[in-house]
Amino acid sequence: PTGKLAKMREDAARARDTLEQVVTRANMGPQQELEEQGEEEEGDDLKLAQPHSTLASLSAGLEVRETAGQGRHLVARQVLEPGHVLSRERALAMALDPSLATNHCSHCLRYSRAPLPCTSCSLAGFCTSSCRTAGLPVHLRSCRLHCGPLFSLASSRSDEETTRLLLTLRIVTSQPLAFHLSYLSTPSPLSPSSSPSSSATAPFLRLLQLKGHLPLLPLPHLLSCSLLLLHLLRALSYLPPDTSEQQEKNLLLLLTRIHAAVTPNIHATFQVV
């Protein structure tokens, strides 16, 4: 059939392009590859012509307002021509849909015909050796989630709640426990205005500044998710046995705040569908 033939041609073309990219990256040095990735991310087609004075990810042609009837919304300050880039911001965290793990990179999420597997679980894959080097330390903190018999069913689901839980888990395990304990030891750790800003803490400050819409979320369900995440972190050996009760309480508070921010602000495939 004509449709099937077109699909076969499309798959063959995609496979050819993927192999060409893998070969090209394999022949690059680490520095050259980083420079090329930087050029891709900073492409002229998506650059903000003039960034907003206070919100660097927005165009200067926009203004953020908040009213009782409409909530937070954007208003144009000027006439915006077609093609004007309104907003640009890198994702704070990304989690791959488990159903795509066999042919997508777990680090950059690019399509890959034959991803390099994790050396432990062989389920997570990476498109290049550099992606595996960058993504493997983060993946290993939750690797048992893929290969453990108690967790494999949960990690293979792709419903909305599982996606949110896995993304929150990804955000927390992207840093070692010592980072969170140091961050939570500040006088007001969940107050962005009073927390010290650095290159390491900046992503978490941005996360805490997101609107969590806590009054609209069912509190018992939110606490249940946070407790489940805490038990998962303990089962994955992310929390050592000597973790104090106060440290666990602080981490539970952080899990609740992060999950409350993830729930209304996530951008996932099920929303597109």
Side-chain angles (χ1 to χ4, degrees):
T2 306
K4 188 173 182 180
L5 187 61
K7 176 76 165 53
M8 291 171 63
R9 285 179 177 148
E10 183 181 344
D11 290 343
R14 187 185 296 113
R16 179 201 61 208
D17 294 342
T18 302
L19 287 173
E20 288 177 353
Q21 291 174 11
V22 171
V23 171
T24 302
R25 292 185 180 182
N27 294 330
M28 287 182 182
Q31 184 62 34
Q32 185 181 357
E33 186 172 346
L34 288 174
E35 290 175 357
E36 185 186 83
Q37 290 179 356
E39 290 175 1
E40 289 178 1
E41 292 173 358
E42 297 298 330
D44 292 334
D45 55 334
L46 288 179
K47 278 189 175 180
L48 293 173
Q50 185 179 357
H52 195 276
S53 58
T54 56
L55 300 172
S57 61
L58 289 182
S59 165
L62 298 175
E63 179 183 352
V64 180
R65 295 181 185 175
E66 185 168 1
T67 61
Q70 294 178 294
R72 297 177 75 202
H73 57 281
L74 298 175
V75 177
R77 290 176 170 173
Q78 61 195 49
V79 176
L80 302 175
E81 299 295 336
H84 184 101
V85 179
L86 300 179
S87 176
R88 184 182 184 200
E89 188 173 32
R90 293 186 63 185
L92 176 65
M94 299 179 291
L96 185 64
D97 188 313
S99 64
L100 303 176
T102 57
N103 55 13
H104 283 74
C105 179
S106 297
H107 179 65
C108 70
L109 309 189
R110 286 190 177 97
Y111 174 83
S112 178
R113 175 64 68 177
L116 303 171
C118 163
T119 54
S120 179
C121 69
S122 298
L123 296 176
F126 304 91
C127 61
T128 62
S129 57
S130 59
C131 265
R132 183 160 65 173
T133 301
L136 198 56
V138 176
H139 165 71
L140 288 177
R141 296 192 186 112
S142 58
C143 183
R144 291 174 60 193
L145 195 65
H146 297 272
C147 57
L150 294 177
F151 305 131
S152 57
L153 284 176
S155 61
S156 63
R157 295 174 59 186
S158 57
D159 58 272
E160 298 182 21
E161 195 58 57
T162 303
T163 302
R164 295 188 182 99
L165 287 167
L166 290 176
L167 186 56
T168 303
L169 196 69
R170 173 93 173 196
I171 292 172
V172 175
T173 57
S174 64
Q175 297 289 345
L177 178 63
F179 169 85
H180 296 299
L181 295 181
S182 173
Y183 177 73
L184 292 169
S185 64
T186 57
S188 301
L190 298 185
S191 175
S193 59
S194 61
S195 301
S197 179
S198 67
S199 58
T201 59
F204 286 89
L205 294 181
R206 282 172 43 215
L207 177 67
L208 297 178
Q209 288 171 343
L210 292 174
K211 288 285 186 179
H213 304 287
L214 279 170
L216 302 178
L217 298 177
L219 188 58
H221 180 73
L222 178 61
L223 291 177
S224 298
C225 290
S226 302
L227 286 168
L228 172 61
L229 287 163
L230 185 66
H231 283 294
L232 278 174
L233 291 173
R234 191 184 290 114
L236 294 171
S237 301
Y238 181 81
L239 289 180
D242 59 349
T243 304
S244 68
E245 182 179 351
Q246 186 58 46
Q247 288 174 335
E248 285 198 2
K249 286 181 179 179
N250 289 341
L251 190 59
L252 181 63
L253 183 64
L254 184 64
L255 285 169
T256 305
R257 183 66 187 89
I258 291 177
H259 199 62
V262 164
T263 298
N265 290 294
I266 186 175
H267 298 279
T269 52
F270 59 77
Q271 291 187 323
V272 177
V273 174

